[in-house]
C-alpha cells in the first residue's frame, strides 16, 4: 500500500481546510497513493481555543460527508483529524474512510496532553478499533497517545499491521518523532505513520519530522522540520513478515508478570 | 550518585572474572564511584553452553560472598551478572550489593532471548524488586527484559528512579542500545544504566554502546562499539525532578483502557 503523509501548516478555517484537503487528495491520488493522512485536528485547526473548537465540532456531520465524498471520488482512503461533538467539550478525533467513501473508524484521542488538550477536549472512552484500509489492518492513535507504549502494544496485540497517528507536535519535543515513534514501530514490529504540522499556530511552533517507520524501527520516509507537502512510502508486506521472523516481542511478553500495570 | 559502567570483553573463567572484577572495583572506587555495574552474566561468561553455565551456577554462594566482600572492602555498591542455581537449568541473574556488602536484590532474567537463553536458563518468576543503592531507588532488568516497555513501566510505577540493566547485546541489534533503551528512560522519566560487553564470545560479536540515559532520554554517557573500560556518569536528582515537571506519562496513563494487555 502506498501512503501519503501530508505535512502542512495548520489552517483555522473549515472551508479552507477542506479546500486544501481536496487539493492534497487529488495530488496523492494522481501519485497512486492508496491512503492519505493529515495532521491532528486538521479540519479547522488545533490550537484555536475551546470556543472555536466547540463551534467547529458542530460541523462534524457535514465535514464527514465531504471527506467521505472526496475519498470515493478519488478512490483513496483517508485519515483526517477533526473535532467531533460532545455535550461538555468536543472530542479530538480522526476519521478513517476507505476508498469507497465508507467511514470505517471514528477514534477519539484518549490521552489528553497538557492544558491545550484539557481546556478544549473530552478524553475518548476507548482505544481505536482495528479496521481494514487498502487491505491492511490499521489502528489509530492521535499525538500524545503514541508516546504511551501501552497504546501501540494494545493495537498490535489486536492485530494492527499499521498504526496511523496524526499529530500536532511542537518544539522542543523532537524526540517524540525521532525516538519514541520509531521505538513503537520496532517494539511491536508494525509500520507506523506519523503526520505532523509545520509552522506556527498561536504559541506553538510545530516541528514537522513526519515519518513512516518500518517494523524494524527504521525510517522508510522522513520529512524535515520545515518541509511542506506530501511524503510517500510504500508498505511492504514481505518486510513486515521478515521483521516478524526476527522480532518476537509480542510472543515473548510475560503478561503473567505485568499485573502492576493495571 | 556517581556510577561506573564497565564495558569489557567477556571472560569464561570464574576465577579470572572475579580477579578482573576486583581490579575494576578498585579503579571505580578510586574514582569515587558509588556504584559499579558489569555486563550480563559476567562471572564465568554468557554464551558458554548449558553444561558450563550449570556448572558455574554451583559456585554461586562462594561468588556472592566474594562480590559482597569486594563491595564492603571498597565501600561501593555493585550490580554483577552471574548464574544462580535452579533444579532444571540455572537462572540468568544479577545481584545488587550495597556499599556495606549486604545483598539487597537477587534478580533472575524474566524474558529469555532466543535459543542462547532458552537452552541455558530458566526464566525468572518475577520482575525486580525496588531497592536502595547509594540513596537511589533502583530496579533491575537484564538485556532482553529492557526491550519490553512493560518492564521499565512496571519498575517506574513501583518507584524506581534508576533502572540498572546488565546486557550481552550483539550485532546487529544496535537499535536496542540507541533507540529502545533511551525510549525507556524518556517514557518513564527515569535514569537507565545499560552495560554491555565488547568483543567476541562464540558466534556473538558484542557491540558495546553501553550508556547511561537521563530521564529526558538523552545520553549522559555513551561508550563506543569497541571501547573497553569504565564509563562514568553522575546522576542528578535535580535533573530527575526537572524531567518530572515536563514529562507526565506515569500520571497520564489510561490504565482503564489497557485491559487487553493482560
Amino acid at each position: 500500500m502506498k501512503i501519503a503523509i501530508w505535512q502542512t501548516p495548520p489552517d483555522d478555517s473549515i472551508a479552507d481546510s477542506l479546500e486544501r484537503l481536496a487539493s492534497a487528495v487529488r495530488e496523492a491520488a494522481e501519485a497512486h497513493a492508496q491512503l492519505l493522512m493529515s495532521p491532528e485536528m486538521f479540519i479547522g485547526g488545533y490550537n484555536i481555543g475551546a470556543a472555536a473548537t466547540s463551534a467547529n465540532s458542530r460541523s462534524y456531520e457535514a465535514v464527514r460527508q465531504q471527506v467521505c465524498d472526496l475519498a470515493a471520488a478519488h478512490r483513496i482512503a483517508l485519515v483526517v483529524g477533526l473535532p467531533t461533538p460532545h455535550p461538555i467539550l468536543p472530542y479530538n478525533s480522526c476519521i478513517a474512510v476507505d476508498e469507497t467513501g465508507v467511514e470505517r473508524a471514528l477514534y477519539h484521542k484518549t490521552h489528553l496532553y497538557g492544558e491545550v488538550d484539557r481546556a478544549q477536549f473530552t478524553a475518548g472512552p476507548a482505544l481505536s478499533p482495528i479496521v481494514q484500509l487498502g487491505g491492511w489492518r490499521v489502528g489509530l492513535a492521535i499525538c500524545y497517545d503514541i508516546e504511551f507504549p501501552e497504546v501501540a502494544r494494545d493495537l498490535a496485540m489486536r492485530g494492527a499491521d499499521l498504526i496511523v497517528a496524526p499529530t500536532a507536535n511542537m518544539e522542543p519535543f523532537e524526540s517524540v518523532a525521532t525516538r519514541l515513534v520509531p521505538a513503537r514501530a520496532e517494539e511491536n514490529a508494525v509500520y507506523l505513520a506519523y503526520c505532523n504540522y509545520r509552522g506556527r499556530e498561536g504559541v506553538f511552533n510545530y516541528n514537522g519530522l513526519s515519518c513512516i517507520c518500518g517494523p524494524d524501527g527504521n525510517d522508510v520516509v522522513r520529512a524535515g522540520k520545515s518541509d511542506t507537502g506530501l511524503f510517500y512510502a510504500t508498505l511492504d508486506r514481505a518486510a513486515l513478515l521478515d521483521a516478524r521472523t526476527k522480532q518476537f516481542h509480542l510472543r515473548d511478553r510475560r503478561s503473567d508478570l505485568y499485573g502492576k500495570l493495571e
Side-chain angles (χ1 to χ4, degrees), chain A residues 60-78:
Chain A
Y60 164 60
E61 294 292 344
V63 166
R64 177 175 65 168
Q65 191 56 55
Q66 290 187 64
V67 172
C68 289
D69 290 349
L70 263 180
H74 296 276
R75 302 294 296 178
I76 184 172
L78 301 176

PDB file of all heavy atoms in Angstrom, chain A residues 60-78:
ATOM      1  N   TYR A  60     -19.519  18.708  12.215  1.00  0.00           N
ATOM      2  CA  TYR A  60     -18.960  17.375  12.003  1.00  0.00           C
ATOM      3  C   TYR A  60     -19.671  16.579  10.924  1.00  0.00           C
ATOM      4  O   TYR A  60     -19.030  16.007  10.027  1.00  0.00           O
ATOM      5  CB  TYR A  60     -18.960  16.592  13.322  1.00  0.00           C
ATOM      6  CG  TYR A  60     -18.758  15.121  13.137  1.00  0.00           C
ATOM      7  CD1 TYR A  60     -17.601  14.635  12.532  1.00  0.00           C
ATOM      8  CD2 TYR A  60     -19.735  14.208  13.532  1.00  0.00           C
ATOM      9  CE1 TYR A  60     -17.417  13.277  12.346  1.00  0.00           C
ATOM     10  CE2 TYR A  60     -19.552  12.855  13.347  1.00  0.00           C
ATOM     11  CZ  TYR A  60     -18.404  12.395  12.751  1.00  0.00           C
ATOM     12  OH  TYR A  60     -18.235  11.057  12.552  1.00  0.00           O
ATOM     13  N   GLU A  61     -21.000  16.546  10.969  1.00  0.00           N
ATOM     14  CA  GLU A  61     -21.727  15.704  10.006  1.00  0.00           C
ATOM     15  C   GLU A  61     -21.455  16.150   8.571  1.00  0.00           C
ATOM     16  O   GLU A  61     -21.238  15.329   7.665  1.00  0.00           O
ATOM     17  CB  GLU A  61     -23.229  15.709  10.293  1.00  0.00           C
ATOM     18  CG  GLU A  61     -23.629  15.063  11.610  1.00  0.00           C
ATOM     19  CD  GLU A  61     -23.407  13.548  11.639  1.00  0.00           C
ATOM     20  OE1 GLU A  61     -23.239  12.949  10.553  1.00  0.00           O
ATOM     21  OE2 GLU A  61     -23.364  12.981  12.742  1.00  0.00           O
ATOM     22  N   ALA A  62     -21.474  17.457   8.360  1.00  0.00           N
ATOM     23  CA  ALA A  62     -21.239  17.994   7.010  1.00  0.00           C
ATOM     24  C   ALA A  62     -19.800  17.736   6.565  1.00  0.00           C
ATOM     25  O   ALA A  62     -19.545  17.348   5.410  1.00  0.00           O
ATOM     26  CB  ALA A  62     -21.550  19.486   6.982  1.00  0.00           C
ATOM     27  N   VAL A  63     -18.871  17.934   7.494  1.00  0.00           N
ATOM     28  CA  VAL A  63     -17.458  17.716   7.161  1.00  0.00           C
ATOM     29  C   VAL A  63     -17.219  16.253   6.822  1.00  0.00           C
ATOM     30  O   VAL A  63     -16.571  15.922   5.822  1.00  0.00           O
ATOM     31  CB  VAL A  63     -16.553  18.156   8.333  1.00  0.00           C
ATOM     32  CG1 VAL A  63     -15.131  17.625   8.148  1.00  0.00           C
ATOM     33  CG2 VAL A  63     -16.548  19.674   8.465  1.00  0.00           C
ATOM     34  N   ARG A  64     -17.751  15.373   7.652  1.00  0.00           N
ATOM     35  CA  ARG A  64     -17.567  13.949   7.403  1.00  0.00           C
ATOM     36  C   ARG A  64     -18.077  13.573   6.017  1.00  0.00           C
ATOM     37  O   ARG A  64     -17.424  12.803   5.302  1.00  0.00           O
ATOM     38  CB  ARG A  64     -18.290  13.120   8.461  1.00  0.00           C
ATOM     39  CG  ARG A  64     -18.183  11.631   8.182  1.00  0.00           C
ATOM     40  CD  ARG A  64     -18.786  10.798   9.273  1.00  0.00           C
ATOM     41  NE  ARG A  64     -20.230  10.999   9.377  1.00  0.00           N
ATOM     42  CZ  ARG A  64     -21.038  10.230  10.102  1.00  0.00           C
ATOM     43  NH1 ARG A  64     -20.529   9.255  10.820  1.00  0.00           N
ATOM     44  NH2 ARG A  64     -22.319  10.454  10.142  1.00  0.00           N
ATOM     45  N   GLN A  65     -19.228  14.105   5.663  1.00  0.00           N
ATOM     46  CA  GLN A  65     -19.787  13.774   4.346  1.00  0.00           C
ATOM     47  C   GLN A  65     -18.838  14.218   3.241  1.00  0.00           C
ATOM     48  O   GLN A  65     -18.617  13.490   2.262  1.00  0.00           O
ATOM     49  CB  GLN A  65     -21.157  14.444   4.174  1.00  0.00           C
ATOM     50  CG  GLN A  65     -21.916  13.948   2.954  1.00  0.00           C
ATOM     51  CD  GLN A  65     -22.107  12.431   2.975  1.00  0.00           C
ATOM     52  OE1 GLN A  65     -22.634  11.881   3.942  1.00  0.00           O
ATOM     53  NE2 GLN A  65     -21.637  11.738   1.945  1.00  0.00           N
ATOM     54  N   GLN A  66     -18.260  15.401   3.401  1.00  0.00           N
ATOM     55  CA  GLN A  66     -17.348  15.885   2.359  1.00  0.00           C
ATOM     56  C   GLN A  66     -16.076  15.036   2.299  1.00  0.00           C
ATOM     57  O   GLN A  66     -15.544  14.791   1.208  1.00  0.00           O
ATOM     58  CB  GLN A  66     -17.015  17.357   2.610  1.00  0.00           C
ATOM     59  CG  GLN A  66     -18.221  18.266   2.354  1.00  0.00           C
ATOM     60  CD  GLN A  66     -17.859  19.742   2.425  1.00  0.00           C
ATOM     61  OE1 GLN A  66     -17.077  20.227   1.612  1.00  0.00           O
ATOM     62  NE2 GLN A  66     -18.412  20.440   3.393  1.00  0.00           N
ATOM     63  N   VAL A  67     -15.588  14.608   3.461  1.00  0.00           N
ATOM     64  CA  VAL A  67     -14.388  13.766   3.462  1.00  0.00           C
ATOM     65  C   VAL A  67     -14.698  12.413   2.806  1.00  0.00           C
ATOM     66  O   VAL A  67     -13.915  11.913   1.981  1.00  0.00           O
ATOM     67  CB  VAL A  67     -13.855  13.580   4.913  1.00  0.00           C
ATOM     68  CG1 VAL A  67     -12.727  12.544   4.950  1.00  0.00           C
ATOM     69  CG2 VAL A  67     -13.374  14.924   5.460  1.00  0.00           C
ATOM     70  N   CYS A  68     -15.854  11.856   3.123  1.00  0.00           N
ATOM     71  CA  CYS A  68     -16.241  10.582   2.501  1.00  0.00           C
ATOM     72  C   CYS A  68     -16.401  10.753   0.983  1.00  0.00           C
ATOM     73  O   CYS A  68     -15.967   9.878   0.200  1.00  0.00           O
ATOM     74  CB  CYS A  68     -17.534  10.055   3.117  1.00  0.00           C
ATOM     75  SG  CYS A  68     -17.338   9.462   4.824  1.00  0.00           S
ATOM     76  N   ASP A  69     -16.991  11.849   0.569  1.00  0.00           N
ATOM     77  CA  ASP A  69     -17.176  12.099  -0.868  1.00  0.00           C
ATOM     78  C   ASP A  69     -15.834  12.234  -1.583  1.00  0.00           C
ATOM     79  O   ASP A  69     -15.650  11.726  -2.694  1.00  0.00           O
ATOM     80  CB  ASP A  69     -18.015  13.365  -1.080  1.00  0.00           C
ATOM     81  CG  ASP A  69     -19.473  13.187  -0.670  1.00  0.00           C
ATOM     82  OD1 ASP A  69     -19.887  12.033  -0.409  1.00  0.00           O
ATOM     83  OD2 ASP A  69     -20.197  14.201  -0.591  1.00  0.00           O
ATOM     84  N   LEU A  70     -14.906  12.928  -0.924  1.00  0.00           N
ATOM     85  CA  LEU A  70     -13.560  13.091  -1.505  1.00  0.00           C
ATOM     86  C   LEU A  70     -12.885  11.732  -1.696  1.00  0.00           C
ATOM     87  O   LEU A  70     -12.272  11.472  -2.749  1.00  0.00           O
ATOM     88  CB  LEU A  70     -12.681  13.913  -0.572  1.00  0.00           C
ATOM     89  CG  LEU A  70     -12.510  15.401  -0.813  1.00  0.00           C
ATOM     90  CD1 LEU A  70     -11.586  15.973   0.271  1.00  0.00           C
ATOM     91  CD2 LEU A  70     -11.936  15.670  -2.196  1.00  0.00           C
ATOM     92  N   ALA A  71     -12.977  10.899  -0.671  1.00  0.00           N
ATOM     93  CA  ALA A  71     -12.355   9.574  -0.749  1.00  0.00           C
ATOM     94  C   ALA A  71     -12.941   8.781  -1.900  1.00  0.00           C
ATOM     95  O   ALA A  71     -12.203   8.183  -2.710  1.00  0.00           O
ATOM     96  CB  ALA A  71     -12.543   8.831   0.576  1.00  0.00           C
ATOM     97  N   ALA A  72     -14.261   8.779  -1.994  1.00  0.00           N
ATOM     98  CA  ALA A  72     -14.936   7.994  -3.040  1.00  0.00           C
ATOM     99  C   ALA A  72     -14.613   8.549  -4.428  1.00  0.00           C
ATOM    100  O   ALA A  72     -14.377   7.784  -5.379  1.00  0.00           O
ATOM    101  CB  ALA A  72     -16.442   7.991  -2.798  1.00  0.00           C
ATOM    102  N   ALA A  73     -14.596   9.864  -4.548  1.00  0.00           N
ATOM    103  CA  ALA A  73     -14.360  10.485  -5.854  1.00  0.00           C
ATOM    104  C   ALA A  73     -12.972  10.153  -6.384  1.00  0.00           C
ATOM    105  O   ALA A  73     -12.776  10.014  -7.597  1.00  0.00           O
ATOM    106  CB  ALA A  73     -14.545  12.002  -5.752  1.00  0.00           C
ATOM    107  N   HIS A  74     -12.001  10.037  -5.461  1.00  0.00           N
ATOM    108  CA  HIS A  74     -10.620   9.824  -5.889  1.00  0.00           C
ATOM    109  C   HIS A  74     -10.122   8.414  -5.589  1.00  0.00           C
ATOM    110  O   HIS A  74      -8.941   8.130  -5.792  1.00  0.00           O
ATOM    111  CB  HIS A  74      -9.708  10.878  -5.250  1.00  0.00           C
ATOM    112  CG  HIS A  74     -10.023  12.269  -5.710  1.00  0.00           C
ATOM    113  ND1 HIS A  74      -9.535  12.802  -6.873  1.00  0.00           N
ATOM    114  CD2 HIS A  74     -10.828  13.224  -5.178  1.00  0.00           C
ATOM    115  CE1 HIS A  74      -9.985  14.030  -7.035  1.00  0.00           C
ATOM    116  NE2 HIS A  74     -10.784  14.318  -6.012  1.00  0.00           N
ATOM    117  N   ARG A  75     -11.015   7.572  -5.094  1.00  0.00           N
ATOM    118  CA  ARG A  75     -10.680   6.165  -4.818  1.00  0.00           C
ATOM    119  C   ARG A  75      -9.415   6.063  -3.959  1.00  0.00           C
ATOM    120  O   ARG A  75      -8.452   5.348  -4.285  1.00  0.00           O
ATOM    121  CB  ARG A  75     -10.485   5.375  -6.130  1.00  0.00           C
ATOM    122  CG  ARG A  75     -11.676   5.378  -7.050  1.00  0.00           C
ATOM    123  CD  ARG A  75     -12.859   4.653  -6.487  1.00  0.00           C
ATOM    124  NE  ARG A  75     -12.625   3.215  -6.296  1.00  0.00           N
ATOM    125  CZ  ARG A  75     -13.506   2.385  -5.776  1.00  0.00           C
ATOM    126  NH1 ARG A  75     -14.700   2.832  -5.370  1.00  0.00           N
ATOM    127  NH2 ARG A  75     -13.222   1.104  -5.634  1.00  0.00           N
ATOM    128  N   ILE A  76      -9.432   6.788  -2.844  1.00  0.00           N
ATOM    129  CA  ILE A  76      -8.292   6.777  -1.936  1.00  0.00           C
ATOM    130  C   ILE A  76      -8.806   6.794  -0.496  1.00  0.00           C
ATOM    131  O   ILE A  76      -9.777   7.490  -0.191  1.00  0.00           O
ATOM    132  CB  ILE A  76      -7.354   7.988  -2.209  1.00  0.00           C
ATOM    133  CG1 ILE A  76      -6.092   7.924  -1.328  1.00  0.00           C
ATOM    134  CG2 ILE A  76      -8.076   9.312  -2.030  1.00  0.00           C
ATOM    135  CD1 ILE A  76      -5.045   8.988  -1.713  1.00  0.00           C
ATOM    136  N   ALA A  77      -8.206   5.993   0.351  1.00  0.00           N
ATOM    137  CA  ALA A  77      -8.566   6.018   1.773  1.00  0.00           C
ATOM    138  C   ALA A  77      -7.995   7.281   2.420  1.00  0.00           C
ATOM    139  O   ALA A  77      -6.943   7.781   2.011  1.00  0.00           O
ATOM    140  CB  ALA A  77      -8.016   4.768   2.470  1.00  0.00           C
ATOM    141  N   LEU A  78      -8.699   7.779   3.431  1.00  0.00           N
ATOM    142  CA  LEU A  78      -8.284   9.000   4.115  1.00  0.00           C
ATOM    143  C   LEU A  78      -8.352   8.825   5.624  1.00  0.00           C
ATOM    144  O   LEU A  78      -9.289   8.213   6.140  1.00  0.00           O
ATOM    145  CB  LEU A  78      -9.201  10.171   3.720  1.00  0.00           C
ATOM    146  CG  LEU A  78      -9.268  10.533   2.234  1.00  0.00           C
ATOM    147  CD1 LEU A  78     -10.311  11.647   2.010  1.00  0.00           C
ATOM    148  CD2 LEU A  78      -7.905  10.996   1.729  1.00  0.00           C
TER     149      LEU A  78
END
